[in-house]
Amino acid sequence: MGCLMNERKQYLYGPVPSRRLGRSLGVDLAPHKTCTYDCIYCQLGRTTNKTIERKEWVPTKEVLAQVQEKLSTKPDYITLSGSGEPTLHAHLEELIRGIKSVTDIPVAVITNGSLLWLPEVQRSLLDADLIVPSLDAESEDIFQYVNRPHSEIGFDQMLAGLREFRRLFKGQYWLEVFLLNGVTTVAQRIQALRACIETISPDRVQVNTVVRPPAEGYAMAVPRDQLEEIAAQLYPGAEVIAPCTLAGEGRPSSEGSDDVLDLLRRRPCSVADIAAGLQLHPHEVAKCVARLLSEQKVRAHAHEGTQYYEARL
Ligand code: SF4
């Protein structure tokens, strides 16, 4: 099993199975865990560097070189996201242009949307193919409770940014709405959220809930049937993001695939997640994970009946 033998790609992970983007080559533009928010449901744990400072958090040239090396893995999307908020990277525009100059693979940016009111952030995203911003709250109170934003970001400003960028951006704009049981499942809040979404008018709305272990144990998942009902109330055609159905193809790690440990440094995954993302047979993944556990490089924890693995940082 050569999963640990591959050269480590410091700023890339995957391709990983994405519930909406197929096989997604992830590009990490902010170090763990640098974000404008500290969401109670975050699968990366609590934010250790809550900031709105935009700077070259990771070296632009190096990231571009690594992306180019990984194009042979033929991902469905090159996705800028990762261990924090990608719009905090000050050279985002150069990065997106650089990627698009070497490949036709579409570029997606998964952002919390907190900085879309900034003209420089708006400009930097215009060349992307798909932007997936988030909206989890309908009021300042719930915004503070769920997203725990940086003190200089207010709900009204954030929402105005989501609307404004929608008007400027010519690509696809999919809004992700993350719902928490007992918090955003209250009827009144659903109606208010719907009103907010209508003013944004995204191409698609995707509804999500807690799937992987959250930063705070009290962030509770919404049951699937309720999620479907709420999606139908929120926006025409709103969809619940389906669990990933990609399956490992049973062939050995292809040249250039990231290793399991690299993937687990970025996010907790089940054996099935790893197998699908790295195109490995689940048995091979299980062996690799067992080895990493015995070497104390990863730890395991169960969440809602599924065993997840994450790297010990
Ligand atoms: S869920 Fe996203 S926006 Fe929220 S804290 Fe985690 S990385 Fe930041």
Side-chain angles (χ1 to χ4, degrees), residues 220-306:
M220 303 298 288
V222 180
R224 177 77 190 203
D225 51 349
Q226 201 183 349
L227 218 46
E228 301 274 3
E229 274 172 34
I230 296 173
Q233 293 170 45
L234 279 180
Y235 199 64
E239 57 196 317
V240 172
I241 302 178
C244 182
T245 54
L246 285 172
E249 292 174 355
R251 57 189 169 81
S253 177
S254 57
E255 200 213 322
S257 285
D258 277 355
D259 64 38
V260 172
L261 189 56
D262 235 6
L263 176 53
L264 297 180
R265 281 196 180 98
R266 265 60 188 211
R267 69 185 212 195
C269 287
S270 64
V271 165
D273 288 340
I274 301 166
L278 301 182
Q279 299 288 286
L280 294 169
H281 193 285
H283 291 167
E284 291 302 307
V285 173
K287 276 193 269 177
C288 183
V289 166
R291 182 172 149 194
L292 291 170
L293 280 167
S294 71
E295 291 169 350
Q296 303 203 330
K297 289 181 175 163
V298 303
R299 63 174 146 246
H301 50 118
H303 179 67
E304 300 199 342
T306 301

XYZ file of all heavy atoms in Angstrom, residues 220-306:
649
model
N -26.895 20.273 16.689
C -27.596 19.020 16.410
C -28.102 18.944 14.975
O -28.596 19.935 14.426
C -28.803 18.864 17.356
C -28.442 18.919 18.832
S -27.340 17.577 19.332
C -28.485 16.223 19.271
N -28.038 17.742 14.421
C -28.503 17.506 13.044
C -30.021 17.555 12.964
O -30.718 17.194 13.908
C -28.012 16.151 12.565
N -30.502 17.984 11.809
C -31.934 17.945 11.520
C -32.211 16.613 10.828
O -31.497 16.249 9.883
C -32.328 19.110 10.581
C -33.818 19.084 10.278
C -31.912 20.447 11.195
N -33.244 15.861 11.281
C -33.539 14.590 10.623
C -33.845 14.784 9.139
O -34.392 15.819 8.741
C -34.778 14.082 11.372
C -34.795 14.830 12.654
C -34.132 16.147 12.406
N -33.492 13.780 8.360
C -33.585 13.872 6.901
C -34.986 14.289 6.413
O -35.112 15.141 5.537
C -33.194 12.508 6.313
C -33.305 12.397 4.825
C -32.149 13.093 4.156
N -32.373 13.195 2.724
C -31.408 13.342 1.829
N -30.165 13.439 2.215
N -31.680 13.439 0.567
N -36.049 13.679 6.971
C -37.389 13.993 6.447
C -37.751 15.452 6.737
O -38.368 16.132 5.917
C -38.453 13.017 6.979
C -38.410 12.878 8.481
O -37.432 13.358 9.101
O -39.351 12.285 9.044
N -37.328 15.941 7.898
C -37.609 17.346 8.225
C -36.810 18.288 7.319
O -37.289 19.345 6.903
C -37.267 17.597 9.693
C -37.956 18.819 10.267
C -37.543 19.094 11.701
O -36.890 18.260 12.356
N -37.901 20.261 12.202
N -35.610 17.853 7.006
C -34.745 18.644 6.121
C -35.406 18.810 4.745
O -35.401 19.898 4.157
C -33.422 17.889 5.986
C -32.110 18.641 5.935
C -31.992 19.717 6.973
C -30.951 17.656 6.049
N -35.992 17.731 4.261
C -36.683 17.774 2.960
C -37.852 18.764 3.027
O -38.058 19.564 2.112
C -37.234 16.378 2.590
C -36.191 15.282 2.506
C -35.510 15.200 1.146
O -35.819 16.038 0.285
O -34.651 14.306 0.978
N -38.598 18.706 4.119
C -39.758 19.597 4.274
C -39.312 21.062 4.296
O -39.900 21.928 3.658
C -40.472 19.329 5.606
C -41.493 18.229 5.560
C -41.993 17.910 6.965
O -42.091 18.838 7.799
O -42.250 16.722 7.227
N -38.267 21.333 5.054
C -37.789 22.718 5.172
C -37.243 23.209 3.831
O -37.507 24.335 3.418
C -36.724 22.849 6.287
C -37.349 22.518 7.636
C -36.142 24.256 6.313
C -36.354 22.450 8.785
N -36.516 22.336 3.136
C -35.976 22.720 1.823
C -37.106 23.179 0.910
O -36.999 24.204 0.226
C -35.212 21.548 1.212
N -38.198 22.427 0.917
C -39.336 22.768 0.046
C -39.929 24.127 0.418
O -40.453 24.841 -0.444
C -40.393 21.675 0.142
N -39.842 24.487 1.687
C -40.385 25.787 2.125
C -39.436 26.950 1.827
O -39.859 28.094 1.731
C -40.649 25.772 3.636
C -41.752 24.833 4.075
C -41.755 24.703 5.595
O -41.646 25.688 6.316
N -41.859 23.488 6.078
N -38.162 26.640 1.715
C -37.176 27.725 1.635
C -37.068 28.390 0.271
O -36.883 29.611 0.174
C -35.787 27.207 2.031
C -35.488 27.103 3.522
C -34.080 26.569 3.725
C -35.663 28.437 4.246
N -37.133 27.576 -0.789
C -36.843 28.152 -2.110
C -37.291 27.157 -3.168
O -37.111 25.939 -2.978
C -35.325 28.372 -2.231
C -34.883 29.344 -3.286
C -35.235 30.701 -3.217
C -34.094 28.918 -4.351
C -34.804 31.593 -4.180
C -33.654 29.818 -5.321
C -34.019 31.154 -5.221
O -33.584 32.048 -6.170
N -37.804 27.600 -4.285
C -38.220 26.663 -5.315
C -37.038 25.797 -5.776
O -35.975 26.326 -6.108
C -38.704 27.573 -6.459
C -38.994 28.884 -5.809
C -38.077 28.998 -4.635
N -37.240 24.499 -5.746
C -36.195 23.576 -6.202
C -35.060 23.368 -5.215
O -34.072 22.705 -5.546
N -35.167 23.920 -4.017
C -34.074 23.736 -3.037
C -33.874 22.252 -2.779
O -34.842 21.497 -2.673
C -34.408 24.454 -1.731
N -32.617 21.854 -2.692
C -32.336 20.428 -2.538
C -31.550 20.172 -1.257
O -30.747 21.006 -0.830
C -31.541 19.924 -3.744
C -30.255 20.685 -3.935
C -29.637 20.497 -5.313
O -29.613 19.376 -5.798
O -29.145 21.504 -5.868
N -31.806 19.007 -0.704
C -30.982 18.563 0.415
C -29.729 17.962 -0.202
O -29.814 17.191 -1.150
C -31.740 17.506 1.244
C -30.833 16.896 2.289
C -32.968 18.134 1.879
N -28.588 18.344 0.283
C -27.351 17.801 -0.291
C -27.300 16.316 0.050
O -27.263 15.933 1.206
C -26.105 18.510 0.263
C -26.182 20.004 -0.008
C -24.856 17.927 -0.372
C -25.013 20.772 0.562
N -27.323 15.512 -0.997
C -27.413 14.063 -0.780
C -26.097 13.513 -0.261
O -25.037 14.022 -0.617
C -27.773 13.382 -2.090
N -26.153 12.473 0.559
C -24.909 11.833 0.975
C -24.163 11.335 -0.252
O -24.789 10.955 -1.232
C -25.363 10.642 1.831
C -26.775 10.915 2.156
C -27.317 11.808 1.083
N -22.855 11.365 -0.172
C -22.051 10.984 -1.323
C -22.294 9.533 -1.708
O -22.340 8.661 -0.867
C -20.567 11.179 -0.995
S -19.555 10.790 -2.397
N -22.458 9.290 -3.013
C -22.671 7.924 -3.465
C -21.520 7.415 -4.313
O -21.569 6.344 -4.864
C -23.952 7.827 -4.318
O -23.859 8.794 -5.366
C -25.184 8.088 -3.476
N -20.480 8.225 -4.451
C -19.327 7.749 -5.216
C -18.729 6.526 -4.536
O -18.669 6.454 -3.321
C -18.241 8.837 -5.277
C -18.483 10.013 -6.205
C -17.404 11.049 -5.960
C -18.474 9.570 -7.639
N -18.297 5.580 -5.309
C -17.714 4.380 -4.713
C -16.281 4.216 -5.182
O -15.943 4.575 -6.301
C -18.518 3.157 -5.113
N -15.447 3.669 -4.328
C -14.073 3.385 -4.707
C -14.056 2.398 -5.866
O -14.887 1.501 -5.941
N -13.164 2.565 -6.766
C -13.166 1.723 -7.951
C -12.288 0.496 -7.799
O -12.147 -0.281 -8.722
C -12.720 2.544 -9.172
C -13.752 3.597 -9.524
C -13.286 4.504 -10.631
O -12.127 4.372 -11.071
O -14.066 5.362 -11.041
N -11.676 0.335 -6.633
C -10.942 -0.886 -6.362
C -9.583 -0.962 -7.031
O -8.982 -2.019 -7.090
N -9.104 0.130 -7.546
C -7.770 0.052 -8.127
C -6.787 0.757 -7.201
O -7.182 1.585 -6.387
C -7.747 0.634 -9.538
C -8.202 2.051 -9.648
C -8.338 2.397 -11.123
N -9.003 3.659 -11.325
C -8.424 4.832 -11.230
N -7.168 4.913 -10.891
N -9.114 5.926 -11.449
N -5.525 0.413 -7.333
C -4.558 0.989 -6.409
C -4.406 2.485 -6.612
O -4.840 3.024 -7.629
C -3.258 0.258 -6.748
C -3.467 -0.316 -8.100
C -4.918 -0.487 -8.303
N -3.781 3.105 -5.663
C -3.588 4.540 -5.721
C -2.915 4.937 -7.033
O -1.883 4.397 -7.389
C -2.694 4.948 -4.545
O -2.430 6.305 -4.590
N -3.503 5.877 -7.757
C -2.890 6.294 -9.007
C -1.781 7.279 -8.704
O -1.749 7.897 -7.650
C -3.940 6.950 -9.896
O -4.521 8.020 -9.207
N -0.905 7.408 -9.680
C 0.237 8.289 -9.472
C -0.236 9.705 -9.177
O -1.144 10.226 -9.825
C 1.087 8.291 -10.740
C 2.483 8.756 -10.457
C 3.039 9.515 -11.635
O 2.770 9.138 -12.770
O 3.723 10.497 -11.353
N 0.330 10.336 -8.178
C -0.042 11.702 -7.859
C -1.199 11.812 -6.894
O -1.524 12.902 -6.441
N -1.869 10.731 -6.550
C -2.962 10.834 -5.567
C -2.392 11.261 -4.215
O -1.336 10.812 -3.802
C -3.661 9.490 -5.396
O -4.462 9.216 -6.478
N -3.128 12.100 -3.548
C -2.708 12.464 -2.188
C -2.855 11.263 -1.282
O -3.681 10.407 -1.504
C -3.584 13.586 -1.658
C -3.106 14.934 -2.143
O -2.056 14.985 -2.807
O -3.775 15.921 -1.854
N -2.086 11.198 -0.246
C -2.201 10.051 0.651
C -3.285 10.291 1.692
O -3.803 11.408 1.871
C -0.851 9.703 1.295
C -0.337 10.803 2.181
O -1.155 11.433 2.866
O 0.875 11.034 2.195
N -3.617 9.229 2.343
C -4.728 9.266 3.298
C -4.469 10.264 4.421
O -5.355 11.018 4.821
C -4.947 7.846 3.867
C -5.955 7.862 5.005
C -5.385 6.913 2.760
N -3.253 10.284 4.858
C -2.945 11.177 5.972
C -3.146 12.640 5.575
O -3.666 13.440 6.360
C -1.504 10.946 6.436
C -1.095 11.651 7.734
C -2.019 11.272 8.889
C 0.345 11.325 8.080
N -2.758 12.957 4.359
C -2.940 14.326 3.874
C -4.411 14.710 3.893
O -4.788 15.807 4.292
C -2.414 14.427 2.439
C -1.387 15.514 2.287
O -1.008 16.100 3.329
O -0.965 15.775 1.157
N -5.233 13.786 3.447
C -6.676 14.023 3.419
C -7.212 14.219 4.840
O -7.984 15.140 5.109
C -7.347 12.827 2.740
C -8.865 12.786 2.674
C -9.419 14.061 2.075
C -9.292 11.585 1.849
N -6.752 13.358 5.752
C -7.273 13.424 7.119
C -6.740 14.630 7.883
O -7.274 14.985 8.925
C -6.945 12.126 7.865
C -7.596 10.869 7.267
C -7.216 9.639 8.073
C -9.110 11.011 7.203
N -5.699 15.251 7.365
C -5.235 16.495 7.981
C -6.248 17.603 7.728
O -6.313 18.579 8.452
C -3.901 16.937 7.395
C -2.724 16.190 7.969
C -1.418 16.917 7.661
N -0.319 16.153 8.225
C 0.435 15.308 7.516
N 0.239 15.169 6.225
N 1.386 14.625 8.099
N -6.979 17.491 6.640
C -7.908 18.550 6.242
C -9.291 18.392 6.834
O -9.951 19.354 7.131
C -8.022 18.591 4.714
C -7.122 19.588 4.062
C -5.664 19.328 4.343
N -4.810 20.391 3.863
C -3.576 20.195 3.440
N -3.060 18.975 3.437
N -2.854 21.211 3.063
N -9.748 17.132 6.932
C -11.089 16.959 7.470
C -11.294 15.529 7.907
O -10.670 14.612 7.367
C -12.136 17.354 6.440
C -12.215 16.421 5.260
C -13.196 16.959 4.255
N -13.866 15.881 3.556
C -14.556 16.052 2.451
N -14.689 17.245 1.931
N -15.152 15.043 1.871
N -12.177 15.322 8.861
C -12.463 13.958 9.275
C -13.190 13.219 8.147
O -14.038 13.807 7.482
C -13.397 14.130 10.485
C -13.373 15.575 10.832
C -12.955 16.316 9.611
N -12.838 11.973 7.923
C -13.476 11.177 6.868
C -13.737 9.771 7.373
O -12.994 9.239 8.198
C -12.545 11.046 5.664
S -12.358 12.517 4.689
N -14.757 9.161 6.815
C -14.983 7.737 7.042
C -14.142 6.962 6.020
O -13.616 7.552 5.060
C -16.458 7.421 6.859
O -16.810 7.664 5.514
N -14.068 5.653 6.200
C -13.347 4.823 5.222
C -13.969 5.005 3.833
O -13.270 5.120 2.828
C -13.365 3.339 5.669
C -12.953 2.423 4.519
C -12.434 3.133 6.856
N -15.306 5.068 3.783
C -15.980 5.216 2.478
C -15.614 6.552 1.828
O -15.396 6.623 0.609
C -17.491 5.115 2.665
N -15.542 7.622 2.626
C -15.150 8.936 2.082
C -13.760 8.861 1.446
O -13.510 9.368 0.353
C -15.065 9.994 3.193
C -16.420 10.406 3.736
O -17.424 10.189 3.039
O -16.450 10.947 4.859
N -12.835 8.243 2.186
C -11.445 8.179 1.706
C -11.380 7.336 0.430
O -10.736 7.714 -0.550
C -10.522 7.560 2.783
C -10.555 8.374 4.072
C -9.086 7.462 2.252
C -9.944 7.656 5.275
N -12.085 6.215 0.449
C -12.052 5.314 -0.712
C -12.575 6.020 -1.955
O -11.990 5.933 -3.032
C -12.880 4.072 -0.416
N -13.662 6.752 -1.791
C -14.251 7.440 -2.948
C -13.343 8.563 -3.426
O -13.133 8.738 -4.625
C -15.620 7.977 -2.582
N -12.795 9.304 -2.485
C -12.002 10.465 -2.865
C -10.685 10.114 -3.512
O -10.241 10.772 -4.441
N -10.052 9.054 -3.007
C -8.732 8.701 -3.524
C -8.804 7.550 -4.519
O -7.770 7.073 -4.987
C -7.791 8.338 -2.361
C -7.573 9.452 -1.319
C -6.580 8.992 -0.257
C -7.081 10.723 -1.965
N -10.034 7.112 -4.823
C -10.223 6.017 -5.786
C -9.455 4.767 -5.353
O -8.696 4.176 -6.120
C -9.796 6.464 -7.196
C -10.609 7.646 -7.698
C -12.033 7.263 -8.055
O -12.270 6.640 -9.049
N -12.997 7.643 -7.203
N -9.633 4.409 -4.104
C -8.981 3.221 -3.552
C -10.041 2.213 -3.129
O -11.181 2.586 -2.829
C -8.163 3.600 -2.308
C -6.959 4.498 -2.523
C -6.439 4.986 -1.174
C -5.867 3.738 -3.253
N -9.649 0.958 -3.076
C -10.581 -0.032 -2.558
C -10.731 0.179 -1.047
O -9.730 0.413 -0.354
C -10.045 -1.444 -2.842
C -11.083 -2.492 -2.611
N -11.469 -2.892 -1.354
C -11.848 -3.194 -3.488
C -12.420 -3.804 -1.453
N -12.670 -4.003 -2.755
N -11.962 0.078 -0.538
C -12.161 0.291 0.910
C -11.293 -0.615 1.777
O -10.871 -0.199 2.865
C -13.656 -0.014 1.105
C -14.276 0.249 -0.224
C -13.243 -0.105 -1.255
N -11.019 -1.827 1.307
C -10.165 -2.714 2.126
C -8.754 -2.146 2.249
O -8.126 -2.218 3.300
C -10.101 -4.122 1.504
C -11.407 -4.845 1.588
N -11.685 -5.996 0.896
C -12.535 -4.563 2.287
C -12.920 -6.378 1.146
N -13.458 -5.526 1.986
N -8.261 -1.590 1.156
C -6.927 -0.976 1.191
C -6.930 0.220 2.141
O -5.981 0.446 2.897
C -6.509 -0.523 -0.213
C -6.235 -1.651 -1.169
C -5.140 -2.560 -0.637
O -4.061 -2.068 -0.296
O -5.385 -3.775 -0.538
N -8.014 0.989 2.084
C -8.115 2.163 2.969
C -8.153 1.703 4.423
O -7.464 2.267 5.289
C -9.385 2.988 2.640
C -9.580 4.103 3.661
C -9.290 3.566 1.233
N -8.933 0.660 4.685
C -9.047 0.167 6.066
C -7.678 -0.254 6.598
O -7.326 0.039 7.741
C -10.037 -0.991 6.126
N -6.891 -0.909 5.730
C -5.546 -1.337 6.162
C -4.666 -0.133 6.458
O -3.940 -0.081 7.441
C -4.886 -2.190 5.060
C -5.308 -3.652 5.112
C -4.411 -4.486 4.231
C -4.997 -4.566 2.833
N -4.204 -5.288 1.871
N -4.787 0.846 5.590
C -3.966 2.048 5.751
C -4.346 2.799 7.030
O -3.486 3.244 7.791
C -4.158 2.944 4.525
S -3.138 4.394 4.580
N -5.653 2.899 7.270
C -6.117 3.602 8.462
C -5.663 2.860 9.721
O -5.224 3.482 10.708
C -7.666 3.752 8.420
C -8.201 4.171 9.774
C -8.059 4.767 7.355
N -5.716 1.510 9.676
C -5.282 0.721 10.840
C -3.809 1.005 11.142
O -3.396 1.150 12.294
C -5.512 -0.763 10.574
N -3.030 1.094 10.071
C -1.602 1.377 10.253
C -1.392 2.768 10.853
O -0.611 2.962 11.776
C -0.924 1.266 8.891
C 0.548 1.481 8.913
C 1.092 1.153 7.539
N 2.246 1.957 7.222
C 2.747 2.063 6.010
N 2.172 1.448 5.001
N 3.809 2.791 5.793
N -2.126 3.736 10.351
C -1.993 5.107 10.866
C -2.441 5.195 12.326
O -1.860 5.927 13.124
C -2.822 6.073 10.010
C -2.311 6.305 8.583
C -3.338 7.068 7.761
C -0.991 7.060 8.610
N -3.467 4.413 12.652
C -3.927 4.389 14.053
C -2.837 3.807 14.948
O -2.549 4.360 16.020
C -5.196 3.540 14.175
C -6.508 4.201 13.761
C -7.606 3.144 13.631
C -6.937 5.283 14.751
N -2.228 2.707 14.478
C -1.204 2.063 15.317
C 0.018 2.963 15.459
O 0.725 2.921 16.456
C -0.827 0.693 14.760
O -0.097 0.878 13.562
N 0.253 3.793 14.453
C 1.383 4.740 14.525
C 0.998 6.025 15.243
O 1.779 6.969 15.332
C 1.857 5.081 13.098
C 2.529 3.920 12.400
C 2.750 4.189 10.907
O 2.223 5.189 10.385
O 3.451 3.376 10.285
N -0.260 6.052 15.709
C -0.805 7.210 16.439
C -0.764 8.494 15.613
O -0.580 9.591 16.152
C -0.085 7.397 17.766
C -0.183 6.148 18.626
C 0.007 6.442 20.090
O 0.712 7.378 20.448
N -0.620 5.664 20.935
N -0.902 8.340 14.311
C -0.931 9.517 13.444
C -2.361 9.995 13.214
O -2.582 11.116 12.759
C -0.267 9.199 12.098
C 1.233 9.037 12.252
C 1.894 8.752 10.935
C 3.404 8.719 11.110
N 4.088 8.082 10.009
N -3.317 9.129 13.450
C -4.714 9.542 13.339
C -5.459 9.061 14.582
O -4.978 8.193 15.315
C -5.410 8.978 12.070
C -4.693 9.382 10.812
C -5.566 7.476 12.143
N -6.619 9.662 14.789
C -7.491 9.169 15.857
C -8.874 8.938 15.272
O -9.233 9.525 14.248
C -7.530 10.141 17.039
C -8.110 11.481 16.707
C -8.271 12.363 17.947
N -8.025 13.746 17.544
C -6.999 14.463 17.958
N -6.131 13.977 18.814
N -6.847 15.692 17.515
N -9.626 8.080 15.960
C -10.957 7.713 15.467
C -12.007 8.237 16.427
O -11.769 8.314 17.630
C -11.061 6.201 15.379
N -13.136 8.621 15.893
C -14.273 8.884 16.751
C -15.566 8.660 15.997
O -15.632 8.840 14.772
C -14.230 10.276 17.391
C -13.985 11.393 16.449
N -14.861 12.407 16.235
C -12.935 11.635 15.630
C -14.359 13.233 15.338
N -13.206 12.789 14.952
N -16.570 8.219 16.744
C -17.848 7.877 16.107
C -18.773 9.078 16.158
O -18.755 9.853 17.112
C -18.477 6.703 16.834
N -19.539 9.241 15.095
C -20.568 10.281 15.071
C -21.783 9.708 14.370
O -21.711 9.320 13.206
C -20.047 11.523 14.337
C -21.067 12.622 14.260
N -21.510 13.292 15.371
C -21.745 13.137 13.210
C -22.396 14.189 15.007
N -22.570 14.107 13.696
N -22.879 9.647 15.096
C -24.143 9.130 14.572
C -23.962 7.816 13.825
O -24.417 7.637 12.684
C -24.829 10.179 13.703
C -25.124 11.428 14.517
C -26.185 12.327 13.918
O -26.459 12.192 12.716
O -26.735 13.135 14.679
N -23.258 6.905 14.470
C -23.159 5.547 13.943
C -22.057 5.342 12.900
O -21.851 4.230 12.442
N -21.368 6.404 12.503
C -20.278 6.243 11.526
C -18.950 6.563 12.200
O -18.858 7.514 12.972
C -20.482 7.197 10.325
O -21.734 6.892 9.723
C -19.375 7.033 9.286
